[in-house]
Amino acid sequence: MHTPAAVKSLPTVLLTGFDPFGGERLNPSWLAVQSLQGQHIASHKVVAAQLPTVFDTSLLELARLLEEHRPALVVCVGQAGGRAAISLERIAININDARIPDNAAAQPIDTPVVAGGPAAYFTGLPIKAMLLALQGEGIPAEVSQTAGTFVCNHVFYGLMHHLATQRGFEGVRGGFVHVPWLPDQGQPSMKTDELVRGLRVAIATALATRADIAAGAGSLN
Ligand code: PCA
C-alpha cells in the first residue's frame, strides 16, 4: 500500500557531487546531482549531498552521510574537465597525488588514501550494463580505467574501503562516475539536462542489475 509510511521507508540511493575547485565557478557534478534530490528511481529515494573538494574532509563527510542514510546504493560523481562522455570509473587506487591544491590548499604528493589499505578496489557498480544502457539512450558514455589521483579518486577509494570494511555495509554497492564540463566551462562538454538524464539511466540500471554483463558481450572499451 502506498501510505506515507511506506514511501518514507523506501531504500535510499546516496548521490554525491563536489563543490567548484581549481578556480572554477561551478561544478557540473553538483548541479546534476542536486536536481535529483528527493526523486524516486526504481522504488528508491535519492538523497543528494555535496562533498567538499578537500582531501580527508571529503571522506569524513562521506562517512557521516553513509552512517546517517544507510543507503542501498552509493554513486559519487565528480567533474572531469577534458572528457567528452560520462565516465564510469572501474578502479580506485590507494594514492593521493595532487597536481593542484584542493579547496583547503592541501596538495598531498604520493601519500596513501588509507595507510595499509589494499592497492586498489574495483567499482561495485555494473559498469558494462550501465554503459550499454547509456549508449542505448544516445548519451555519450565510456568506461574509464582511472579516476585520477586527486580528490575524486580519494573519495572513490574511501567509499569502497568504507563499504568493504565497516559493519552494516555488507551487500551495499557503490562506485564513481565522472562527468564532462558544462558548455560554459569549455569543450568538450555536456548540457546539464543530458547529465541528469544520464545519471538517472545509470542509477536505474545499477539498481536493476545485480551481476554485471561480461564476457559474452565482448570488450566494450
Ligand atoms: N573533480 C575532481 C575533484 C572534484 C571534482 O569534481 C577530481 O576529478 O578529482
Side-chain angles (χ1 to χ4, degrees), residues 10-214:
L10 282 180
T12 297
V13 174
L14 177 62
L15 192 57
T16 69
F18 286 98
D19 61 351
F21 67 98
E24 306 233 31
R25 282 184 307 107
L26 52 84
N27 190 321
S29 69
W30 173 240
L31 296 182
V33 160
Q34 189 182 28
S35 71
L36 289 168
Q37 163 61 28
Q39 290 203 16
H40 292 184
I41 303 177
S43 300
H44 287 64
K45 187 171 175 167
V46 174
V47 171
Q50 190 184 79
L51 299 178
T53 304
V54 177
F55 287 96
D56 299 326
T57 311
S58 50
L59 284 184
L60 293 175
E61 176 61 7
L62 180 64
R64 193 191 65 70
L65 290 163
L66 289 168
E67 299 300 329
E68 179 183 347
H69 297 290
R70 294 273 156 184
L73 182 77
V74 188
V75 181
C76 296
V77 184
Q79 163 191 309
R83 293 194 193 173
I86 292 182
S87 296
L88 308 166
E89 297 294 348
R90 194 199 294 262
I91 186 163
I93 56 178
N94 193 10
I95 196 83
N96 304 313
D97 194 6
R99 190 175 41 80
I100 57 171
D102 71 11
N103 285 352
Q107 191 169 0
I109 307 290
D110 294 351
T111 62
V113 181
V114 176
Y121 285 104
F122 285 117
T123 184
L125 301 178
I127 51 174
K128 294 293 180 74
M130 292 160 74
L131 178 70
L132 286 183
L134 286 163
Q135 291 176 339
E137 293 288 328
I139 299 168
E142 65 193 3
V143 167
S144 162
Q145 317 303 343
T146 175
T149 53
F150 193 49
V151 181
C152 286
N153 173 74
H154 179 81
V155 161
F156 184 15
Y157 186 94
L159 166 66
M160 300 316 298
H161 190 70
H162 192 104
L163 296 182
T165 59
Q166 297 303 298
R167 282 175 78 129
F169 289 92
E170 299 79 11
V172 176
R173 296 178 302 155
F176 199 96
V177 174
H178 263 121
V179 297
W181 278 320
L182 296 177
D184 284 357
Q185 296 176 281
Q187 294 298 329
S189 68
M190 210 180 256
K191 291 188 180 140
T192 314
D193 58 348
E194 193 170 33
L195 289 180
V196 174
R197 203 159 58 86
L199 290 179
R200 278 196 80 96
V201 170
I203 292 165
T205 305
L207 289 170
T209 312
R210 269 285 138 191
D212 201 6
I213 50 170

